Amino acid sequence: ETGVTQSPTHLIKTRGQQVTLRCSSQSGHNTVSWYQQALGQGPQFIFQYYREEENGRGNFPPRFSGLQFPNYSSELNVNALELDDSALYLCASSLELGTGETQYFGPGTRLLVL
Amino acid sequence: AQSVTQLDSQVPVFEEAPVELRCNYSSSVSVYLFWYVQYPNQGLQLLLKYLSGSTLVKGINGFEAEFNKSQTSFHLRKPSVHISDTAEYFCAVTYTGTASKLTFGTGTRLQVTL
């Protein structure tokens, strides 16, 4: 069983640009969640997808958007990048949608916005 | 609002000594609690979780945690730490009806020395 993978591992962008981060969930996992982890902080929930539909969103502006595909891959898109978007972005997959489901995290993508 | 408090940002401890990492959460009718560990440049790995039943939960790598509803706490303990336990530890909570969104504390850095 393969774990959760993310690409790229590191990324440098400039303010105002757009970025797409990718995640490959564990096979069979229908739920994917994205988190933003600023330096020295705990992860903050961005949004969650279940069977390709958004199923909950945290306090992030609409320029953060996502997609989930039938092949257990997903994307996080961020438009109009701001300096404060610099962070580690983590995706996590789980088998189903239950509140107590274990979420399995990928290694993250570290984004630096200059 | 849902919140998790990890009062200790850093905990230094000698190898083979016991350790307790503290976690308190905002009260709710139904709550599920998790401890995750993050090693440098890696994603988060689940140590243990409490869903219901016995208040003492045993996890991987010799860690355990005790759920205390009256004190809204979920402290993590290990009777004898190893150098390899040096990492960042995050307490997290989910509440029913929140799309299994994990709300994390700010983390505790466990530093084990000889």
Side-chain angles (χ1 to χ4, degrees):
Chain A
E1 179 183 282
T2 58
V4 179
T5 59
Q6 293 185 243
S7 63
T9 55
H10 294 80
L11 201 53
I12 299 175
K13 291 286 189 178
T14 56
R15 194 169 49 184
Q17 284 188 311
Q18 179 267 341
V19 68
T20 297
L21 310 182
R22 294 179 172 83
C23 172
S24 181
S25 301
Q26 289 192 17
S27 180
H29 282 198
N30 294 305
T31 306
V32 65
S33 303
W34 285 89
Y35 294 83
Q36 180 196 67
Q37 185 179 16
L39 202 60
Q41 299 296 317
Q44 298 286 319
F45 175 76
I46 303 175
F47 46 57
Q48 181 183 79
Y49 280 79
Y50 176 70
R51 295 183 186 269
E52 302 162 52
E53 297 285 333
E54 187 177 296
N55 182 62
R57 189 177 183 91
N59 294 326
F60 282 82
R63 60 189 184 84
F64 285 77
S65 63
L67 286 170
Q68 185 187 24
F69 304 102
N71 65 350
Y72 306 113
S73 67
S74 60
E75 291 180 354
L76 164 64
N77 299 288
V78 187
N79 294 321
L81 283 167
E82 300 177 0
L83 298 180
D84 285 348
D85 296 334
S86 295
L88 180 68
Y89 289 85
L90 298 162
C91 78
S93 73
S94 56
L95 194 59
E96 283 298 333
L97 199 56
T99 308
E101 285 279 336
T102 296
Q103 295 188 32
Y104 297 87
F105 283 80
T109 293
R110 190 164 298 280
L111 173 65
L112 177 61
V113 182
L114 301 175
Chain B
Q2 305 145 10
S3 66
V4 176
T5 302
Q6 293 182 251
L7 287 172
D8 306 306
S9 59
Q10 293 189 62
V11 173
V13 63
F14 290 111
E15 193 175 35
E16 297 184 5
V19 70
E20 178 180 85
L21 306 184
R22 297 182 293 168
C23 172
N24 289 87
Y25 62 94
S26 57
S27 180
S28 177
V29 175
S30 185
V31 64
Y32 303 98
L33 294 151
F34 305 77
W35 274 99
Y36 280 86
V37 61
Q38 187 175 35
Y39 297 103
N41 301 314
Q42 295 187 28
L44 281 74
Q45 180 184 8
L46 180 70
L47 281 175
L48 49 80
K49 65 180 181 182
Y50 172 79
L51 302 182
S52 64
S54 173
T55 57
L56 184 63
V57 181
K58 294 194 182 294
I60 62 171
N61 301 340
F63 285 94
E64 63 181 33
E66 185 154 19
F67 171 62
N68 188 320
K69 188 173 183 178
S70 63
Q71 297 187 6
T72 61
S73 68
F74 190 55
H75 300 332
L76 181 70
R77 301 188 186 98
K78 186 170 183 178
S80 176
V81 296
H82 191 266
I83 288 283
S84 60
D85 292 323
T86 295
E88 192 83 21
Y89 290 79
F90 292 96
C91 181
V93 61
T94 62
Y95 299 88
T96 54
T98 62
S100 63
K101 153 193 166 182
L102 283 166
T103 299
F104 285 88
T106 51
T108 297
R109 169 76 178 169
L110 176 63
Q111 182 69 49
V112 182
T113 55
L114 295 172

